[in-house]
Amino acid sequence: MTAIPTISVDAMGGDLGPQAVVEGIGHALKRWPDRKVKYLLHGDEALLKPLLDKNPKVAAVCELRHTDTLVQMTDKPSEAVRRARGSSMWNAIQSVKAGEAGAIVSSGNTGALMAISKVILRMKKGVHRPAISANWPTPKGHTVVLDVGANVQCGATQLVEFAILGEAYHRAVFGGEAPTVGLLNVGQEELKGNDIVREADQLIRSSGLDIAYQGFIEGNDISGGSIDVVVTDGFTGNIALKTAEGTARLVAGWVREALTSSLLSKIAAGLLSLGALDRLRQRMDPRYINGGVLLGLKGIVVKSHGGADGEGFASALGLAYVMARSDFMSEIRKNLDKFAQSEEQGVAAAS
Amino acid sequence: MTAIPTISVDAMGGDLGPQAVVEGIGHALKRWPDRKVKYLLHGDEALLKPLLDKNPKVAAVCELRHTDTLVQMTDKPSEAVRRARGSSMWNAIQSVKAGEAGAIVSSGNTGALMAISKVILRMKKGVHRPAISANWPTPKGHTVVLDVGANVQCGATQLVEFAILGEAYHRAVFGGEAPTVGLLNVGQEELKGNDIVREADQLIRSSGLDIAYQGFIEGNDISGGSIDVVVTDGFTGNIALKTAEGTARLVAGWVREALTSSLLSKIAAGLLSLGALDRLRQRMDPRYINGGVLLGLKGIVVKSHGGADGEGFASALGLAYVMARSDFMSEIRKNLDKFAQSEEQGVAAAS
C-alpha cells in the first residue's frame, strides 16, 4: 500500500454503475472530510471521464484505469472466472494483489466477486471459503452477522472459522476489546439445534480460541444488542438478514401511515421532522449500513449492495477504508493457528 | 363436538398460569361478543375457582375440570410423555380426542405439548411430524410461516407436507380461494439453495398438488405480502421469526425515542396518539397475533406463547375457535392423498 490509503474500485458494477460510484466518492469526501484517500477507478473511460469532469473534487482523488470489459450481473461465477480477465472487477481485485490498493469495493455480481477474489487473492491459510459479513444496527451499536450468503451449506469447521473471522472483523471495524461471539440456534430445549451447530459449539469450546464465546443465541438476539458477533451458515444468515430488512420495511410503512393518515398526524409529523424524525429516518436507511466484507481472503474485498446509490456506495467505501487501515489480517492469524493446531491434535488423538 | 363450539384449555400452562387464562377468556368475550363458545378449563380448582368467582362472566362459559398435576416448562418432551398422564395438558388434549372439544389451547412447554399431542391424537396419515405455524402481519394481511420450530432438521418430503398443511391452514384461518405458497430460499443464482430445498421444489412441482405454488422466495418476501404461505424447516423458520420479532422491537424503540426525545416531539406524539399512533401500537403488539397451530395431528392443537398475558391468550383462543369451526381436517386430505400417490408412483418407477 502507498503512503496515502488507496482503495481500488470496480466502477462498472451494480445496477447504477459508474454514476453511483462517482457520486459515492463525492459523498464519502463530504462524510469524512478528514480522511485522505486515493481511489483507483477501474472501468470504461468513455463513461467515467465525463462524470469525473463534472465532479472535479472527485476527479482530484481518482486515478482512472481504463478497461472496456465487465462482469455482468447475470454471469455465473464459474463462467465469470473464465471470462473475466481484464474486466473492471478483475483489474480492481488485481490492484489489491499487486499491493497498489489496500482494499477493493464492488457493487457487482456477488458470486463472481467471490470466485474471482479467490482466484486472484487466494484464501488465508486455515480458511476454506470466504464468508460475507453484514453489519446490523442494535440499540447499543452494531452486531456483525456472518455468513449472510456465501456458503449455503456449511460444516462445523467452517462455522468455527466464521467465529474467528467475525470476531477480528468486529474489532477492526467497531473497535472494542473482546467482542462477544454467539452461535445462532433455536430455543427449544430438547431440540437444541441441528447436528452441525452442536458440533461447532463443541469445537469452539475445545479449541482454546482467544474469543469471548457466549454459546448459543437466538434470532431475537441479533437486533437486541446483547451479542457482538453472530455466527451462522449462509443459508440461515441470508434469510435472517432479508427477513429483518423486510420487517423493518413493514414497520416503516406502518410508521409512515401513522404520520400521514390525517391532517392532525401530518401536523404532528411536521413538528417531529424538525429533528427526531430525521434521525429515525437515517437510522432506518439501509444505505448507511451498506457494505459486506468477503472475509478469509488474503486481501480486503468489500461487496456493496447491487442496488446501492451514491449514499450507499459511500458507506461501502468508508468500510473499505476502515478495514484497509486495520490490523485485521494479522489479528485473525493467531486464532486461525490455534484452531489448526487443535484440529491436528484432534485428528492425532482420533487416529 | 357439542352444539356450542367447545375449546379445551390447559389452564396451568405458561409463565402467568391460570391468571392469564381466565383473563384471556374475559378478553375473548369482549373481543368477539357474537361468538358462543364453551371452555373446558383443566387445572387446579384451588387456583382456578377463586379467579372464576371474581369473573362471573367468564365462569358462566367455563366448565372446570380439576387436576392437581401439571407439566413443567422445564420438562423434557420424552419425560413429559411418561409422567404427564392426568396433568392439565394431558387432560386438555384428551378432551379433543374424546370429542368433547373441537380444539385445545395451551401456553405450556412446546416440546411436551407436541409429544403428548402425538401420543393422544396421533398424526394424520401422510404426515410425519407436526409443524408449528406462525401468522405474520404484512401490508396486505397475513402470511403463514411454517415450520417455526418443531422440526429442526427436515427432509424434502416433510417440506412438501408443510406446503399442504400451510395452504389449507391459510384458507381455514384467513379465507380466500387459492393462497400462494413459496419455499424459503436464498437469492444467489448459482448457489440457489441447499440440496433439500431444491429437492422439495422438484417434489412439489411433480406431485400434481392442488396448490398455487410460486417456487422459491426470499426472506424479505415474508413481510412483503407477496406470498401467503412460506414453507421452511423449523431451524430457519424459528430464526426468521425471532429475527423479525427482534427487528420490530428495535425499530419500535427507535420510533419511541423519536416521539419522546424532546418537548416538541412529545407534543407531536400527543397529537398522534389521538388515533394513528394507537393503531400503530396495536399493529406492532405481538399479543394480537399470538398463537401457532400444531399442524398435521388428528385434532386442533393451538400453542399460545409461554409469556402470553390475557390479551395474548385471547388471540390464541380466537385462533382455536376459527380452526375448530373450519374444514381444515378434510381440506388437507385431498392434497395429502395426492402426494402419497405421487410418492408411491415415484418409488414404483424407481424400482
Side-chain angles (χ1 to χ4, degrees):
Chain A
M1 205 175 14
T2 49
I4 296 178
T6 303
I7 293 172
S8 175
V9 177
D10 167 13
M12 308 303 286
D15 305 336
L16 304 175
Q19 178 87 28
V21 167
V22 172
E23 280 178 14
I25 295 172
H27 286 296
L29 285 172
K30 271 180 234 150
R31 231 190 271 175
W32 300 288
D34 298 336
R35 289 185 186 172
K36 271 184 104 60
V37 193
K38 190 181 134 190
Y39 297 95
L40 303 181
L41 293 196
H42 295 268
D44 190 344
E45 192 168 1
L47 292 169
L48 285 163
K49 191 72 173 37
L51 291 169
L52 290 176
D53 287 345
K54 276 190 281 179
N55 290 276
K57 281 184 187 165
V58 173
V61 295
C62 288
E63 184 182 325
L64 220 163
R65 299 280 177 96
H66 174 72
T67 173
D68 47 19
T69 66
L70 71 158
V71 174
Q72 301 289 346
M73 293 303 268
T74 49
D75 283 351
K76 294 200 167 181
S78 47
E79 293 168 5
V81 168
R82 283 197 304 274
R83 298 191 316 206
R85 205 169 288 264
S87 68
S88 59
M89 186 186 281
W90 182 284
N91 292 356
I93 299 167
Q94 189 61 45
S95 291
V96 173
K97 172 74 177 176
E100 285 187 290
I104 173 259
V105 181
S106 173
S107 299
N109 182 328
T110 308
L113 184 66
M114 209 166 91
I116 299 171
S117 298
K118 275 174 69 182
V119 169
I120 296 178
L121 297 172
R122 318 288 285 270
M123 300 306 301
K124 280 286 247 187
K125 194 182 157 219
V127 187
H128 287 80
R129 279 165 54 89
I132 303 180
S133 65
N135 301 334
W136 206 289
T138 75
K140 294 174 194 164
H142 287 88
T143 297
V144 167
V145 182
L146 77 169
D147 176 25
V148 294
N151 305 275
V152 171
Q153 296 184 95
C154 288
T157 307
Q158 267 186 291
L159 293 177
V160 183
E161 293 167 16
F162 297 170
I164 295 169
L165 295 170
E167 195 262 356
Y169 174 77
H170 196 285
R171 278 188 283 131
V173 176
F174 302 111
E177 281 300 301
T180 54
V181 178
L183 197 51
L184 192 56
N185 199 353
V186 297
Q188 272 70 4
E189 273 319 313
E190 192 145 336
L191 309 166
K192 206 80 185 178
N194 57 33
D195 299 341
I196 291 170
V197 295
R198 275 196 296 245
E199 191 189 336
D201 176 68
Q202 287 308 312
L203 273 178
I204 298 176
R205 289 180 191 282
S206 63
S207 309
L209 300 178
D210 188 15
I211 280 182
Y213 179 61
Q214 309 292 305
F216 294 134
I217 56 147
E218 296 188 53
N220 48 312
D221 295 317
I222 302 178
S223 299
S226 58
I227 196 91
D228 295 317
V229 181
V230 173
V231 173
T232 186
D233 66 89
F235 186 82
T236 312
N238 183 277
I239 286 169
L241 180 67
K242 293 204 170 154
T243 300
E245 283 172 7
T247 306
R249 203 173 301 129
L250 174 75
V251 176
W254 289 341
V255 173
R256 203 174 305 117
E257 203 184 301
L259 297 178
T260 55
S261 59
S262 68
L263 183 61
L264 201 60
S265 56
K266 276 181 197 155
I267 295 169
L271 292 175
L272 275 173
S273 62
L274 294 169
L277 204 63
D278 290 338
R279 182 162 152 72
L280 176 66
R281 207 171 278 135
Q282 184 167 339
R283 272 176 156 175
M284 294 191 59
D285 189 336
R287 297 180 303 173
Y288 289 91
I289 50 165
N290 180 43
V293 180
L294 269 59
L295 298 170
L297 294 155
K298 289 184 190 164
I300 307 295
V301 179
V302 176
K303 170 68 175 81
S304 163
H305 195 282
D309 62 2
E311 282 288 7
F313 199 76
S315 299
L317 292 174
L319 182 58
Y321 174 87
V322 171
M323 281 297 283
R325 288 175 61 92
S326 76
D327 296 322
F328 175 77
M329 286 295 172
S330 54
E331 287 287 312
I332 55 174
R333 193 63 276 153
K334 206 170 60 181
N335 272 322
L336 283 176
D337 287 344
K338 271 193 187 169
F339 183 50
Q341 220 166 35
S342 145
E343 288 279 271
E344 274 167 32
Q345 284 165 359
V347 171
S351 64
Chain B
M1 204 175 14
T2 49
I4 296 177
T6 302
I7 294 172
S8 176
V9 177
D10 167 12
M12 308 302 287
D15 304 337
L16 304 175
Q19 178 87 30
V21 167
V22 172
E23 281 177 15
I25 295 172
H27 285 297
L29 286 171
K30 271 180 232 149
R31 229 190 273 175
W32 301 287
D34 298 336
R35 290 185 186 172
K36 270 184 105 57
V37 193
K38 190 181 136 191
Y39 297 94
L40 303 181
L41 293 196
H42 296 267
D44 190 342
E45 193 168 0
L47 293 170
L48 285 163
K49 190 71 174 35
L51 291 169
L52 290 176
D53 287 344
K54 276 189 279 178
N55 290 275
K57 281 184 186 166
V58 172
V61 295
C62 287
E63 184 181 324
L64 220 162
R65 300 279 178 96
H66 173 72
T67 174
D68 48 18
T69 65
L70 71 159
V71 173
Q72 301 290 345
M73 294 304 267
T74 49
D75 283 350
K76 292 201 169 180
S78 47
E79 294 168 4
V81 168
R82 283 197 304 274
R83 298 191 316 204
R85 204 168 292 261
S87 68
S88 59
M89 187 187 279
W90 181 285
N91 292 356
I93 299 168
Q94 188 60 45
S95 292
V96 172
K97 172 73 178 176
E100 285 188 291
I104 174 259
V105 182
S106 174
S107 299
N109 181 327
T110 309
L113 184 65
M114 209 167 89
I116 299 171
S117 299
K118 275 174 69 182
V119 168
I120 296 179
L121 297 172
R122 319 288 286 268
M123 301 305 302
K124 280 286 248 187
K125 194 182 158 219
V127 187
H128 286 79
R129 278 166 54 89
I132 303 180
S133 64
N135 301 333
W136 207 290
T138 75
K140 293 175 195 164
H142 287 88
T143 298
V144 167
V145 182
L146 78 168
D147 177 25
V148 295
N151 304 274
V152 171
Q153 295 184 97
C154 289
T157 307
Q158 267 186 291
L159 293 178
V160 183
E161 294 167 15
F162 297 170
I164 294 169
L165 295 169
E167 195 262 357
Y169 174 77
H170 196 285
R171 278 187 284 132
V173 176
F174 301 111
E177 281 299 302
T180 54
V181 178
L183 197 52
L184 193 56
N185 199 353
V186 297
Q188 272 71 4
E189 274 319 312
E190 192 146 335
L191 309 167
K192 205 82 186 178
N194 58 33
D195 299 341
I196 290 170
V197 295
R198 275 196 297 246
E199 191 190 335
D201 176 67
Q202 286 308 312
L203 272 178
I204 299 177
R205 289 180 191 283
S206 63
S207 309
L209 300 178
D210 188 15
I211 281 182
Y213 179 60
Q214 310 291 305
F216 294 134
I217 56 148
E218 295 188 53
N220 49 313
D221 295 315
I222 302 179
S223 298
S226 58
I227 196 90
D228 295 317
V229 181
V230 173
V231 172
T232 186
D233 66 90
F235 186 82
T236 312
N238 184 277
I239 286 169
L241 179 68
K242 294 205 169 151
T243 301
E245 283 172 6
T247 307
R249 203 172 302 129
L250 174 75
V251 176
W254 287 343
V255 173
R256 202 174 305 118
E257 203 184 304
L259 297 178
T260 56
S261 59
S262 67
L263 183 61
L264 201 59
S265 55
K266 274 180 197 157
I267 294 168
L271 291 175
L272 274 172
S273 62
L274 293 168
L277 204 63
D278 289 339
R279 183 163 151 72
L280 175 67
R281 206 172 278 134
Q282 186 166 339
R283 273 176 156 173
M284 294 190 58
D285 189 336
R287 297 180 303 171
Y288 289 91
I289 49 163
N290 179 44
V293 180
L294 268 59
L295 299 170
L297 295 155
K298 291 184 190 164
I300 307 295
V301 180
V302 176
K303 170 70 175 82
S304 163
H305 194 282
D309 63 2
E311 283 288 7
F313 200 75
S315 301
L317 292 174
L319 182 59
Y321 175 86
V322 170
M323 280 298 282
R325 288 174 62 91
S326 76
D327 297 322
F328 175 77
M329 285 295 169
S330 53
E331 288 285 313
I332 55 174
R333 194 62 278 153
K334 205 169 59 180
N335 272 322
L336 283 176
D337 287 345
K338 271 193 189 171
F339 183 50
Q341 219 167 34
S342 143
E343 288 279 89
E344 275 167 31
Q345 283 165 1
V347 172
S351 65

